[in-house]
Amino acid sequence: MKRWMVLLDVLLAALLVTGCAPSGRSGPPATGGPGTAATSAAGRQVAGHQEPGLRAINFGFENVSDPHTDWKKIDQQLEAANVNAVSIAVGRPEWTAFPWPGHLDSAAADGPDKYRDFVGAAVNELQTDPSGQRRHVSLGIDLLLPATLKKNPKLAGVDADGKVSDGFASPAAFDTTIGTQIDEMVNYLGTTYHPDEVVLTELFLDRFVFSSADLDLYRKDTGAKDWPRTKDGKPDLQNAAVVKWRSEVLARVVSRARDAAHAAGTTLAVDVRVNWADPAAGRPDSAQDYALLKSSADRLVLWAYPGMSGLDGSAVGKLTTGLTRGGYDPDRLTISVGLWSASGGNGQPGTTSGEGVIDARTLAASLASAADAGARSISVTPYSLLTDKDWDVIKAAWGG
């Protein structure tokens, strides 16, 4: 069996690592031609609002890995709404929607679809619109790693109470094969599918940061002999030195991935939580210090999910304004409007896990307020939760 896996790897390497675009539609047109990819430059006025230069829809793994997803139909749907950018979830280093040479056992599909290239199918159909204009393409990597940590528990994060995470790697783990695989995956996606950017998501060092290996790393990075501790003797998560160290470790992970992206001819973005009260302050509690990350990543993708915080759509505009006033370049920010809600909507009950969805009115207010505040790049996520009313809102907001 292993011999056949090796042979498959060799064949895939020959077919895919050459850097060719997926079959079907042609690869990315030459820069400057009629098919040049969309940029974040501000667009026209639509319904009294400034049209953002990048107008994206995000496709989750549930759509990308589904063999029944009709990408041709979706392509027409995007065209009707004047969508000129897409974000496509590709999976995790341990669980992919594409055949990855050297890592075929990571393929998420089973049976006859085991080595099917779901990512290539999506990119191939959506990278250009029906008129031949190229869309901006982002490929998203999820960094939750439950299978990897189950196989190697020593790489799992540990919190101040000694609880071991079943999904989040420890800070020190990013200096092991986990970090290497992330960088290799970023590079592979860039050289194989030629996206405009690769995005890292679910990258937080907000709790599970106190393994024994982390203490060794903390000592190495800071010169300290031990963790700062609370009165009860536990490691102090919110101590200023620990907060700073967590943010620096995360920024290093992003910097290495950015270097891998640049080597592949693409760019690197990172998803970040938002600070509704003080947008420019970022989220150092999650190890997402925007001031560090803007030097480590090419773009920040901000999780502007008003429904998860009980806010109305106008909060998204205030968030955008706060970031601009804080000195963040709007051309290096994407305002990602999430449809999830902790309070229900669209006839669905809300839960604290966000199983509800915002209504179309909140979506409309979010898109309008972000555009009015000068957002150059706005995305709506996820595609799977969009209703007909939501699509009507998007068409009205983006001139479809």
Side-chain angles (χ1 to χ4, degrees):
M1 181 65 180
K2 289 184 177 179
R3 184 179 178 184
W4 282 108
M5 294 290 285
V6 171
L7 288 172
L8 277 170
D9 275 347
V10 172
L11 288 170
L12 283 165
L15 291 170
L16 299 174
V17 179
T18 56
C20 296
S23 61
R25 291 186 181 181
S26 61
T31 301
T36 299
T39 69
S40 59
R44 56 184 175 162
Q45 287 279 327
V46 177
H49 304 287
Q50 187 71 42
E51 177 188 69
L54 290 181
R55 306 172 297 280
I57 298 296
N58 288 19
F59 294 89
F61 197 81
E62 67 275 12
N63 295 118
V64 178
S65 62
D66 184 350
H68 303 295
T69 297
D70 188 343
W71 293 113
K72 289 185 180 296
K73 180 179 179 181
I74 289 172
D75 187 31
Q76 297 289 339
Q77 195 175 26
L78 299 179
E79 173 73 357
N82 198 29
V83 172
N84 67 352
V86 292
S87 183
I88 298 167
V90 306
R92 304 166 178 160
E94 63 179 31
W95 194 56
T96 66
F98 61 93
W100 186 11
H103 305 274
L104 289 179
D105 56 345
S106 296
D110 293 315
D113 290 323
K114 180 68 175 176
Y115 304 114
R116 181 172 173 176
D117 190 356
F118 293 97
V119 173
V123 172
N124 189 51
E125 192 61 46
L126 302 185
Q127 67 181 341
T128 54
D129 66 25
S131 69
Q133 186 71 24
R134 185 161 181 258
R135 294 190 179 104
H136 184 281
V137 175
S138 301
L139 299 180
I141 301 175
D142 182 342
L143 295 184
L144 284 173
L145 301 168
T148 299
L149 301 185
K150 186 175 181 179
K151 290 179 181 178
N152 195 341
K154 290 184 178 180
L155 298 177
V158 179
D159 72 6
D161 294 316
K163 178 178 174 57
V164 179
S165 174
D166 59 5
F168 290 102
S170 72
F174 289 100
D175 288 333
T176 70
T177 54
I178 285 179
T180 301
Q181 282 197 353
I182 292 169
D183 298 342
E184 290 177 348
M185 190 172 180
V186 168
N187 186 270
Y188 179 79
L189 292 172
T191 56
T192 303
Y193 303 107
H194 310 292
D196 296 280
E197 68 185 8
V198 177
V199 186
L200 302 181
T201 191
E202 300 291 350
L203 180 57
F204 314 111
L205 299 177
D206 58 348
R207 176 183 171 187
F208 298 100
V209 297
F210 296 119
S211 73
S212 59
D214 293 333
L215 179 55
D216 289 340
L217 182 62
Y218 181 74
R219 287 168 172 162
K220 177 183 175 182
D221 286 344
T222 68
K225 295 181 179 180
D226 191 15
W227 300 115
R229 295 184 180 272
T230 58
K231 292 180 180 180
D232 57 5
K234 296 179 181 179
D236 188 352
L237 182 68
Q238 300 304 333
N239 178 275
V242 175
V243 171
K244 180 174 182 291
W245 172 74
R246 289 190 282 123
S247 294
E248 290 172 346
V249 172
L250 190 143
R252 287 203 301 263
V253 174
V254 174
S255 291
R256 290 196 297 263
R258 178 200 58 198
D259 292 344
H262 289 184
T266 187
T267 62
L268 194 285
V270 60
D271 281 3
V272 294
R273 291 168 173 163
V274 302
N275 186 332
W276 294 106
D278 185 2
R283 289 293 299 271
D285 60 307
S286 295
Q288 295 180 334
D289 184 328
Y290 294 179
L292 288 177
L293 288 176
K294 73 177 182 179
S295 298
S296 303
D298 297 300
R299 180 186 296 272
L300 302 183
V301 180
L302 295 116
W303 283 2
Y305 303 169
M308 292 301 296
S309 298
L311 301 172
D312 61 34
S314 66
V316 179
K318 295 173 184 176
L319 174 75
T320 306
T321 298
L323 290 164
T324 303
R325 289 178 178 174
Y328 291 91
D329 181 355
D331 283 325
R332 295 182 59 195
L333 303 175
T334 290
I335 305 301
S336 179
V337 178
L339 300 177
W340 299 281
S341 175
S343 58
N346 285 2
Q348 298 187 30
T351 70
T352 55
S353 62
E355 293 173 5
V357 290
I358 61 175
D359 58 25
R361 182 179 301 178
T362 302
L363 174 60
S366 298
L367 297 179
S369 67
D372 289 344
R376 306 282 178 82
S377 173
I378 302 176
S379 66
V380 177
T381 185
Y383 171 84
S384 59
L385 290 181
L386 286 168
T387 66
D388 289 343
K389 289 183 178 179
D390 292 332
W391 278 110
D392 289 341
V393 164
I394 293 170
K395 290 176 184 178
W398 292 347

